[in-house]
Amino acid sequence: MHDIADTSLRSRGMMAVIAAQFLSAFADNALLFATLAVLKAQFYPDWSQPVLQMVFVGAYILFAPFVGQFADSFAKGRVMMVANSLKLIGALVIATGFNPFVGYTLVGVGAAAYSPAKYGILGEITTGDKLVKANGLMESSTIAAILMGSVAGGVLADWHIGAALGVCALFYAGAVVANLYIPKLAAARPGQSWNLVTMVRQFFAACRQLWNNGETRFTLVGTSLFWGAGVTLRFLLVLWVPVALGITDNATPTYLNAMVAIGIVVGAGAAAKLVTLETVSRCMPAGILIGVAVVAFAVQQTPLPAYLLLMLLGIFGGFFVVPLNALLQDRGKRSVGAGNAIAVQNLGENSAMLLMLGLYSLAVKVGLPVVGIGIGFGVLFALAIAGLWLWQRRQKV
């Protein structure tokens, strides 16, 4: 066990983290579209599709009081390995024909444990201004994986659902192996109590500490809005494509998601160059423009402008979320620990996802038009970010 002296963005530790994250994120996104194909093949109703994601994020919420301490109590690279192993088991459950909701819940448990470790380790293997750049590298790798994984999941599912699920399991196994190459760092906060009541109390004490601080409260609200909107948009696309474009395959929604992914890579890169921890508020106009882009996208009826608008939406998204993540990691590391900070962030983000997905599923079930849902969603998101920006300026964060 040792600390890493090399804090450069090309250190062995950083490269191993990025490789593991790419493989795991690729599998996450391929598995979603492969499992949606399973639901379609087994004639589940349309409103059950967001429910699939709701059981996933429910695991994040349920385990939020524990995963931060888990990440900070052990070497984070080993925590990532255990988490990816759980994802592998979940993928195998779905691939072998068991209930897809059960398997996807297991993947959600693994993802809940993985997130605090993957982001928390960035503050341990790099420092200072490199942290924003490290987040940009992490987001770019993640989005590249989303791009490739989403397309692979949809295309393979159109060809053979079993093959798609097998590829997902293979990539999760690769992520487990990659985790072995992350140097074993000292635990950030060893020796904490594992009494469940104590852990819950400590977690909510960390929640209060972060929510009572103006800077971290600002980042928690911003990232929660972003990811809640992002996951809802992904499911909106699945129903929007056949309505607006008249296309019923599994692949087209993944291509549209890929355009968002390409845009986020560009936006994340721009944020790494143009935004520092001291100038985070520069990202806020991009957040408002996300909502504007969603409204413009929802009314399209031909593929080309839809693809272009989604790429533009992704650019705004990358520029918006990367600085917020970096600020939370930096401030969280100084206060409650990086792992706990990310766990608190996950609770906020996944609560927002659960709420937005629930509202979306309800809207679909009662028969609201998909285009109208998209327009309303975009307007509300733009207003929410504008309100957050005004509040942030008054607080002088």
Side-chain angles (χ1 to χ4, degrees), residues 99-122:
N99 188 295
F101 291 92
V102 173
Y104 210 65
T105 299
L106 286 175
V107 176
V109 174
Y114 185 73
S115 183
K118 78 175 182 182
Y119 282 113
I121 200 172
L122 294 181

Side-chain angles (χ1 to χ4, degrees), residues 122-147:
L122 294 181
E124 296 180 3
I125 61 179
T126 190
T127 57
D129 288 341
K130 293 177 184 175
L131 186 55
V132 175
K133 292 181 172 61
N135 271 273
L137 187 60
M138 173 71 86
E139 293 297 334
S140 296
S141 172
T142 302
I143 300 309
I146 291 173
L147 167 63

Side-chain angles (χ1 to χ4, degrees), residues 23-347:
L23 293 168
S24 185
F26 180 101
D28 286 346
N29 289 276
L31 182 64
L32 172 61
F33 287 100
T35 308
L36 287 174
V38 171
L39 297 185
K40 189 182 294 185
Q42 295 179 2
F43 303 104
Y44 282 84
D46 286 342
W47 60 263
S48 70
Q49 294 178 359
V51 173
L52 181 73
Q53 190 72 24
M54 290 169 70
V55 302
F56 181 91
V57 302
Y60 269 88
I61 295 171
L62 181 63
F63 289 95
F66 315 111
V67 293
Q69 180 169 319
F70 183 49
D72 284 339
S73 296
F74 302 96
K76 288 186 173 61
R78 299 305 179 263
V79 173
M80 293 166 69
M81 182 180 69
V82 171
N84 277 320
S85 298
L86 282 173
K87 291 183 180 183
L88 172 60
I89 293 170
L92 291 174
V93 167
I94 300 171
T96 51
F98 288 95
N99 188 295
F101 291 92
V102 173
Y104 210 65
T105 299
L106 286 175
V107 176
V109 174
Y114 185 73
S115 183
K118 78 175 182 182
Y119 282 113
I121 200 172
L122 294 181
E124 296 180 3
I125 61 179
T126 190
T127 57
D129 288 341
K130 293 177 184 175
L131 186 55
V132 175
K133 292 181 172 61
N135 271 273
L137 187 60
M138 173 71 86
E139 293 297 334
S140 296
S141 172
T142 302
I143 300 309
I146 291 173
L147 167 63
M148 299 173 67
S150 297
V151 173
V155 171
L156 286 172
D158 277 338
W159 173 58
H160 193 284
I161 294 177
L165 294 171
V167 168
C168 296
L170 184 63
F171 271 75
Y172 280 135
V176 172
V177 173
N179 289 141
L180 294 172
Y181 289 89
I182 300 174
K184 192 175 182 182
L185 298 167
R189 295 188 169 201
Q192 298 184 78
S193 171
W194 289 95
N195 179 279
L196 294 183
V197 174
T198 301
M199 291 175 70
V200 171
R201 287 176 178 171
Q202 290 175 342
F203 174 74
F204 284 105
C207 286
R208 286 193 298 272
Q209 187 171 347
L210 292 174
W211 280 96
N212 286 335
N213 178 278
E215 285 186 311
T216 49
R217 181 169 62 241
F218 163 61
T219 63
L220 289 169
V221 173
T223 58
S224 295
L225 287 171
F226 176 80
W227 289 112
V231 74
T232 306
L233 178 63
R234 171 171 282 192
F235 284 91
L236 180 65
L237 286 176
V238 173
L239 296 186
W240 179 87
V241 167
V243 171
L245 304 182
I247 301 172
T248 59
D249 62 15
N250 292 306
T252 300
T254 70
Y255 298 150
L256 291 165
N257 272 284
M259 298 307 294
V260 178
I262 292 170
I264 291 183
V265 172
V266 176
K273 291 182 178 296
L274 300 175
V275 183
T276 67
L277 294 178
E278 288 71 37
T279 60
V280 168
S281 61
R282 291 179 181 175
C283 74
M284 298 306 292
I288 297 172
L289 290 172
I290 291 172
V292 175
V294 170
V295 172
F297 164 78
V299 298
Q300 300 305 313
Q301 294 183 323
T302 53
L304 181 59
Y307 280 100
L308 293 176
L309 280 166
L310 285 179
M311 185 168 67
L312 189 62
L313 187 155
I315 292 172
F316 296 145
F319 196 86
F320 176 70
V321 78
V322 165
L324 295 181
N325 279 336
L327 181 63
L328 180 65
Q329 290 159 28
D330 180 77
R331 303 304 190 257
K333 180 183 176 182
R334 300 180 189 181
S335 55
V336 300
N340 275 322
I342 302 304
V344 173
Q345 182 186 34
N346 283 340
L347 176 62

